[in-house]
Amino acid sequence: TTVVMLVGPTGVGKTTTLAKIAADYALNKKKKVGFITADTYRIAAVEQLKTYAEILGIPLTVIYSPQEAKAAIEGHMDKDLVLIDTAGRSCKNKEQLEELNELIKQAEPDEIYLLVSANTSLSDCKLIYKTYNFLKDYKIIITKVDESETLGIALNLRNISGKSLSYMTTGQSVPDDIEQADMGQIAKKLLGSIN
């Protein structure tokens, strides 16, 4: 069982991205997938994931504290992939970030993905990187590429963090609007936008 956690600031599209990854694994790769959500802060967050879970036929476990993470994961050990959704965290709220850090310690995920919106400014990008520097290892997902004129944030974040880009989301459609990040393509688009 591979345990994957999605983290990032508020409003970057973690829940929708989680559903896209789940749909790809469940429908296209024929893998058994389980959902865990720790996002009990945002109104209707659990309902949103429940809807995706019902459509995709994926079991969902809701946890209300980091201490519940291990038992929730154990309940999904018959799955190939367990995806953990987390609440969006303000870069300025230390208490929320400490709770996220505790959730990571309890869940011990195999992979962590930090999600950042394509329309994030360079200064905010640096703040996000600094805020999430407690993460030992992670990959980056750039979301909302369809809502931005440029992909410079992808290169900026990669250079600032030294971490690899894994996916980019290009719209709201589940499961279609997600693709693997290709640095060559991103560079071509950026160079093309200069002319």
Side-chain angles (χ1 to χ4, degrees):
T1 302
T2 302
V3 179
V4 173
M5 184 181 287
L6 273 59
V7 303
T10 54
V12 295
K14 286 183 295 301
T15 304
T16 305
T17 302
L18 187 103
K20 290 173 185 177
I21 294 169
D24 181 43
Y25 274 81
L27 303 175
N28 300 332
K29 296 176 180 163
K30 306 298 182 200
K31 301 289 184 186
K32 286 192 209 168
V33 180
F35 281 147
I36 297 172
T37 183
D39 187 359
T40 54
Y41 295 90
R42 187 167 55 91
I43 294 171
V46 172
E47 289 305 313
Q48 182 186 4
L49 196 54
K50 255 186 198 168
T51 302
Y52 286 130
E54 285 169 13
I55 291 167
L56 296 168
I58 293 173
L60 169 67
T61 305
V62 181
I63 60 173
Y64 296 92
S65 74
Q67 289 68 34
E68 296 175 36
K70 275 187 182 146
I73 291 166
E74 283 168 13
H76 289 284
M77 289 313 280
D78 60 328
K79 308 296 183 297
D80 300 303
L81 179 67
V82 178
L83 294 164
I84 303 176
D85 194 18
T86 63
R89 298 304 190 199
S90 164
C91 291
K92 296 176 181 177
N93 190 321
K94 244 183 175 174
E95 189 178 302
Q96 287 182 348
L97 291 163
E98 283 169 7
E99 185 180 7
L100 176 61
N101 196 16
E102 183 58 28
L103 177 62
I104 291 166
K105 284 178 186 171
Q106 294 289 333
E108 298 178 316
D110 298 299
E111 295 178 18
I112 298 174
Y113 290 90
L114 174 63
L115 280 69
V116 180
S117 172
N119 49 27
T120 305
S121 70
L122 179 58
S123 58
D124 286 341
C125 182
K126 288 177 179 175
L127 176 62
I128 291 165
Y129 168 68
K130 190 176 171 188
T131 301
Y132 286 88
N133 68 4
F134 63 86
L135 298 174
K136 288 184 179 73
D137 192 25
Y138 61 91
K139 294 174 187 167
I140 299 165
I141 296 177
I142 302 294
T143 61
K144 305 187 180 187
V145 170
D146 56 309
E147 296 177 21
S148 178
E149 287 294 312
T150 178
L151 287 175
I153 189 66
L155 292 178
N156 287 333
L157 194 53
R158 186 171 185 269
N159 289 336
I160 291 166
S161 68
K163 305 299 181 186
S164 61
L165 294 177
S166 56
Y167 293 104
M168 297 184 346
T169 69
T170 56
Q172 294 293 310
S173 179
V174 176
D176 302 322
D177 294 338
I178 188 167
E179 57 192 52
Q180 287 200 306
D182 180 331
M183 291 309 295
Q185 286 296 105
I186 292 168
K188 279 181 189 172
K189 284 181 185 175
L190 283 169
L191 291 171
S193 68
I194 292 170
N195 296 331

